[in-house]
Amino acid sequence: MTAWAAGRGHSIAKGTSRDIRVANRFEVMRVVIAQSPVSRRRIATETGLSIATVGTVVGELLAAGLLLEVGFEDSAGRPRALMAVDHAGGVLLGVDVAETYVRVDLFDAALTFLDGVEEALSPDENRPGQVVGHIVSGVRTVLDRAGVPERRVLGAGITVPGQVDHRGGVSVFAPNWDWHDIPLGRLLAERLGVPAHLDNPLRAAIVAELWFGAGRRREDVVVLNLGTGVGAGLAFRGTLYRGATNSAGEWGHTTLVLDGRPCHCGGRGCVEAYVGAPGIVQHLRELDPDSPMLHVNDQTATIDALTRGIEAGDPIAQKVVAETARYLGAAVANLINLLNPEAIVLSSWVATRLGEPLLAEVQAVVARHALGRPFLATEIVRSTLPGDSVSLGAATLALERFLSDIAGR
Amino acid sequence: MTAWAAGRGHSIAKGTSRDIRVANRFEVMRVVIAQSPVSRRRIATETGLSIATVGTVVGELLAAGLLLEVGFEDSAGRPRALMAVDHAGGVLLGVDVAETYVRVDLFDAALTFLDGVEEALSPDENRPGQVVGHIVSGVRTVLDRAGVPERRVLGAGITVPGQVDHRGGVSVFAPNWDWHDIPLGRLLAERLGVPAHLDNPLRAAIVAELWFGAGRRREDVVVLNLGTGVGAGLAFRGTLYRGATNSAGEWGHTTLVLDGRPCHCGGRGCVEAYVGAPGIVQHLRELDPDSPMLHVNDQTATIDALTRGIEAGDPIAQKVVAETARYLGAAVANLINLLNPEAIVLSSWVATRLGEPLLAEVQAVVARHALGRPFLATEIVRSTLPGDSVSLGAATLALERFLSDIAGR
Ligand SMILES: [Zn+2]
Ligand SMILES: [Zn+2]
């Protein structure tokens, strides 16, 4: 059960006073990250919190070593202290474990990127111990290069594909590796002396947007991770949505074409079968089986070739984008009609590479499929986050965990 | 903007202290409704609230005339006052405006059904003044029959199809009547001396489940209104979800069969085209164009005939149910994969009539389409609410409004 157990069953949400204290910390931290150096009064204006509450929260964050007083501003002859994130203080780690690589990124407490390393995972390296080995060596590498001792790490956020029990730190089910109930959190704790938060990459992607991207000024937001697999990170009322068992967001395995293309999940006609990278490659193969853009068994190279083809005005490449958008636009319209969000954000490597041409085609298709009113309420945009938004989000989840745990003090 | 404006942008939800006060009132009222007569201590145990908070809230509800002290129980020699809803106090009205009827139900403050009246709407009675006239005459009828003066009405909840601005009391867009920006709330206020809350029927349906049905002990719940049109009422974290412009839940117009059957929304292959009552009638027509179960231009009579056919073991009727479930099950699986809810509740008249046979077929289809883990976390059930759950939910929204407004005192 969640902290929300007492609040169920009506149309106004409810939090405990502890939830509010923690949420206030998040709000204050976000304002300091975005606007530092910043006075307590300015934080109060930006968050809508009282000066007294801001004073308390800033005190907690100073004591926890996250913030510093960096000077004063003059306000009608009265000096006001200015706060900033302590960039020389604690650091955060974001680890994105994917099927073909382990990426470890190091951030300061303001989630400024410091350094990153990516280790390839070969197809036969699918045992938990091997993956943990890559995580540990990646973490050691970035910490060594930065000269940061483990004790300065406030937390590490780690995402693994599939079903994750984020409370217990367990990879419940990772279909591609046939993992069942692997206690990754415990395995990592035995090797690393840093607090670890395990989660699913869709959770990380939406949290990154909430803190730093399209979710900053919005309540109801969907981020679409468009890569080899596809999925949706969901936020409702400005808050990450996990569903009953932390497996919400499997939009890639919703049916768009009943009895359509086979999907690797065992179903047919899933969104992913048409808009995941292998599905896009299949569109190309169906349009031109002899296309020089096709790279056998290398979807990344094929998508890269398509990207260059679009830039060069290649008509086949343009048709592949239009065909992908025909499915992706209908599937985005489904999200708009069902969820009436304020924004849908296209993210991950396929969205980055196919870029504006894909977005433009998708917007045109959505306009035909979505209902008028919710369509007008939804902005469809590309993610503006730099780098790997999953590792950024993972590190942000680790910061949230750290901020939550201050409460226990 | 909502009361949640300050709480956006992170993974822990946040409420204002006023939200919490109002939510506490809802919790206490729900426990008293469900368990009356009940002591303050028992309310505290059931809600998880402190005795002091329960004391404050009970005091507010006593002062507002919603509750009564009805006696005492003996607790180790110390008498404890018992609370109950004042059944002789205020009443609530629930009004379900559909395309073919206006239903007005009267409830006491515990949402116990007292009396109801249904007035038919002929197809040419589609002007706002005509609909308001039916609402007013229905309200007068039930109040007169019960001998209740208008001043005892705590509130009236009214649902109309389409896009509703629930804050302004405006029917923004009702496609079947081509209504645009009709200020129904104001028109009603001119004719009725009771506080009115206007909303969409999907909102009412899920609020009814949250207070009295499958949503009582659950956090993330979807109710499917299966009638002429179909749609989904959504609750996340125990709280009604409206989306950015109160138009969430248009699951009926999500695409299930790309380029499939035409839908009256102008799209193709929408869920509604296959599982709305006219879509079910079309399955029958395609299976047996000469079926005696077909009643031209009367979908209700045709669904009734199908219901009797199922009971009699008619193979065509069974095939129609299986064909309907083939689409409905896939569309339910989409909700499970995307939202990972704890329960999906089948509601409204088609669900009532096709009953267990439809549910059983749907469960079998969902098992094939949904991902394993979220499937196991989701119960698929029929609504257990008696009567018209939309008018019950509308009256409940009116009670919520009344409970919220106590705060201003
Ligand atoms: Zn699939
Ligand atoms: Zn439609």
Side-chain angles (χ1 to χ4, degrees):
Chain A
M1 292 306 301
T2 68
W4 290 90
R8 63 201 164 197
H10 43 66
S11 78
I12 292 193
K14 166 185 168 184
T16 64
S17 54
R18 181 178 183 282
D19 290 336
I20 292 184
R21 281 208 314 278
V22 171
N24 289 345
R25 264 180 225 136
F26 291 4
E27 291 291 308
V28 169
M29 192 70 191
R30 277 172 33 131
V31 170
V32 179
I33 288 173
Q35 309 199 5
S36 91
V38 60
S39 68
R40 289 176 179 82
R41 178 162 301 271
R42 175 80 175 280
I43 296 170
T45 306
E46 292 286 319
T47 57
L49 298 171
S50 71
I51 286 280
T53 300
V54 170
T56 303
V57 173
V58 166
E60 291 168 342
L61 301 181
L62 286 166
L66 287 170
L67 303 189
L68 283 178
E69 287 194 4
V70 291
F72 294 88
E73 69 179 3
D74 187 67
S75 167
R78 246 190 92 194
R80 278 195 196 132
L82 294 173
M83 308 296 143
V85 176
D86 183 357
H87 292 276
V91 297
L92 295 156
L93 289 160
V95 182
D96 173 10
V97 177
E99 284 146 39
T100 54
Y101 62 85
V102 172
R103 170 151 201 99
V104 179
D105 286 335
L106 180 69
F107 302 88
D108 70 16
L111 276 313
T112 310
F113 175 80
L114 300 175
D115 191 14
V117 64
E118 200 166 299
E119 304 198 359
L121 268 185
S122 66
D124 59 317
E125 286 185 298
N126 56 15
R127 293 206 312 278
Q130 294 170 312
V131 171
V132 166
H134 280 289
I135 295 172
V136 171
S137 92
V139 167
R140 295 259 156 79
T141 300
V142 294
L143 291 181
D144 284 353
R145 289 204 302 224
V148 172
E150 272 188 0
R151 67 181 156 71
R152 271 183 57 206
V153 178
L154 304 175
I158 296 138
T159 66
V160 290
Q163 172 80 29
V164 175
D165 169 6
H166 65 288
R167 288 197 192 82
V170 175
S171 169
V172 176
F173 179 49
N176 290 288
W177 295 325
D178 201 30
W179 284 8
H180 295 268
D181 297 314
I182 305 296
L184 275 190
R186 186 171 58 70
L187 296 176
L188 280 163
E190 289 166 3
R191 306 276 305 273
L192 284 176
V194 307
H197 174 86
L198 196 70
D199 222 317
N200 172 286
L202 295 172
R203 257 37 95 206
I206 186 66
V207 167
E209 295 293 339
L210 286 171
W211 277 73
F212 303 106
R216 282 220 60 191
R217 299 278 160 193
R218 297 183 173 103
E219 295 274 301
D220 303 318
V221 182
V222 177
V223 59
L224 301 182
N225 268 16
L226 302 177
T228 306
V230 305
L234 306 174
F236 302 132
R237 296 186 203 92
T239 305
L240 171 64
Y241 177 77
R242 295 181 178 278
T245 55
N246 198 31
S247 45
E250 292 295 347
W251 165 78
H253 302 290
T254 60
T255 303
L256 180 66
V257 185
L258 196 70
D259 301 325
R261 272 188 191 173
C263 178
H264 72 89
C265 76
R268 298 185 73 95
C270 292
V271 170
E272 184 168 305
Y274 299 92
V275 310
I280 297 173
V281 171
Q282 190 171 336
H283 295 315
L284 172 58
R285 200 180 300 114
E286 288 174 2
L287 282 161
D288 180 4
D290 305 317
S291 169
M293 293 183 284
L294 278 170
H295 290 67
V296 178
N297 290 332
D298 192 341
Q299 44 175 281
T300 317
T302 306
I303 299 289
D304 281 339
L306 273 170
T307 306
R308 289 190 300 272
I310 296 160
E311 283 162 5
D314 179 286
I316 294 289
Q318 288 168 339
K319 273 189 193 162
V320 171
V321 170
E323 186 70 359
T324 302
R326 191 162 79 84
Y327 297 96
L328 180 55
V332 167
N334 282 356
L335 292 170
I336 291 175
N337 290 350
L338 181 66
L339 298 175
N340 185 206
E342 291 166 83
I344 292 184
V345 185
L346 310 189
S347 184
S348 201
W349 66 271
V350 169
T352 304
R353 287 174 212 216
L354 300 185
E356 285 303 322
L358 179 65
L359 177 64
E361 295 271 4
V362 165
Q363 284 170 326
V365 175
V366 171
R368 293 199 298 275
H369 278 85
L371 297 174
R373 301 269 160 178
F375 172 68
L376 292 176
T378 309
E379 285 186 84
I380 306 169
V381 297
R382 292 168 64 205
S383 178
T384 57
L385 296 174
D388 179 341
S389 65
V390 169
S391 72
L392 172 62
T396 309
L397 283 163
L399 174 61
E400 289 197 351
R401 176 70 72 98
F402 181 83
L403 290 170
S404 303
D405 289 347
I406 300 178
R409 293 175 190 187
Chain B
M1 293 307 300
T2 68
W4 290 89
R8 62 202 164 194
H10 43 65
S11 78
I12 293 193
K14 164 185 168 182
T16 64
S17 55
R18 180 176 183 282
D19 290 337
I20 293 183
R21 281 207 314 279
V22 170
N24 288 346
R25 264 180 225 136
F26 291 3
E27 291 290 308
V28 170
M29 192 72 191
R30 278 170 33 131
V31 169
V32 180
I33 287 174
Q35 309 200 5
S36 88
V38 59
S39 68
R40 289 176 178 81
R41 180 162 299 272
R42 175 78 175 279
I43 296 170
T45 306
E46 292 287 321
T47 57
L49 298 170
S50 71
I51 286 279
T53 299
V54 170
T56 303
V57 174
V58 165
E60 291 168 342
L61 301 181
L62 286 166
L66 287 169
L67 302 189
L68 282 178
E69 286 195 5
V70 291
F72 294 88
E73 68 179 5
D74 187 66
S75 167
R78 247 190 93 192
R80 278 195 196 132
L82 294 173
M83 308 296 143
V85 176
D86 183 357
H87 293 276
V91 297
L92 295 157
L93 289 159
V95 181
D96 172 9
V97 178
E99 283 146 39
T100 55
Y101 62 86
V102 172
R103 172 153 198 97
V104 178
D105 285 336
L106 181 69
F107 302 88
D108 70 16
L111 275 312
T112 310
F113 175 80
L114 299 175
D115 192 12
V117 64
E118 200 167 298
E119 304 198 359
L121 268 186
S122 66
D124 58 319
E125 287 185 296
N126 57 16
R127 293 206 311 279
Q130 294 170 312
V131 170
V132 167
H134 279 289
I135 296 172
V136 170
S137 93
V139 167
R140 295 257 156 80
T141 300
V142 294
L143 291 181
D144 284 354
R145 290 205 301 226
V148 172
E150 271 187 1
R151 66 182 157 71
R152 270 184 57 205
V153 179
L154 304 176
I158 296 138
T159 66
V160 290
Q163 172 80 27
V164 175
D165 169 6
H166 64 288
R167 289 199 189 82
V170 175
S171 168
V172 175
F173 180 48
N176 289 286
W177 295 324
D178 201 30
W179 285 7
H180 295 269
D181 297 315
I182 306 295
L184 275 191
R186 186 170 58 69
L187 297 175
L188 281 163
E190 289 166 3
R191 305 277 305 273
L192 285 176
V194 307
H197 174 86
L198 196 71
D199 222 318
N200 172 285
L202 295 172
R203 257 36 94 208
I206 186 67
V207 167
E209 296 293 339
L210 285 171
W211 276 72
F212 304 107
R216 282 220 61 191
R217 298 278 160 194
R218 296 182 174 104
E219 296 273 301
D220 303 319
V221 183
V222 177
V223 58
L224 300 183
N225 268 15
L226 301 177
T228 305
V230 305
L234 307 173
F236 303 133
R237 297 187 203 93
T239 304
L240 171 63
Y241 176 76
R242 295 181 178 278
T245 56
N246 198 31
S247 45
E250 293 295 347
W251 166 77
H253 302 290
T254 59
T255 303
L256 181 66
V257 186
L258 195 71
D259 301 324
R261 273 190 191 172
C263 178
H264 72 87
C265 76
R268 298 186 75 95
C270 293
V271 171
E272 184 168 304
Y274 300 91
V275 310
I280 298 174
V281 171
Q282 189 171 338
H283 295 315
L284 171 58
R285 200 180 300 116
E286 288 173 2
L287 282 161
D288 180 4
D290 305 317
S291 169
M293 293 184 284
L294 277 170
H295 290 67
V296 178
N297 290 333
D298 192 342
Q299 47 176 279
T300 317
T302 306
I303 300 289
D304 280 339
L306 273 171
T307 306
R308 290 189 301 272
I310 296 161
E311 284 161 6
D314 179 285
I316 294 289
Q318 288 169 338
K319 273 190 194 162
V320 171
V321 170
E323 186 69 359
T324 301
R326 191 163 78 84
Y327 296 96
L328 181 54
V332 167
N334 281 356
L335 292 170
I336 291 174
N337 290 351
L338 182 64
L339 298 176
N340 185 207
E342 291 166 85
I344 292 184
V345 186
L346 310 188
S347 184
S348 200
W349 65 272
V350 169
T352 305
R353 287 174 211 216
L354 300 185
E356 285 303 323
L358 179 65
L359 177 63
E361 294 270 5
V362 165
Q363 285 171 326
V365 175
V366 171
R368 292 199 299 275
H369 277 85
L371 298 173
R373 300 269 160 178
F375 172 68
L376 292 175
T378 309
E379 286 185 85
I380 307 169
V381 297
R382 291 167 65 204
S383 179
T384 57
L385 296 175
D388 179 341
S389 65
V390 169
S391 73
L392 172 63
T396 309
L397 282 164
L399 174 63
E400 290 198 350
R401 176 70 70 100
F402 180 84
L403 290 170
S404 302
D405 289 348
I406 300 178
R409 293 174 189 186

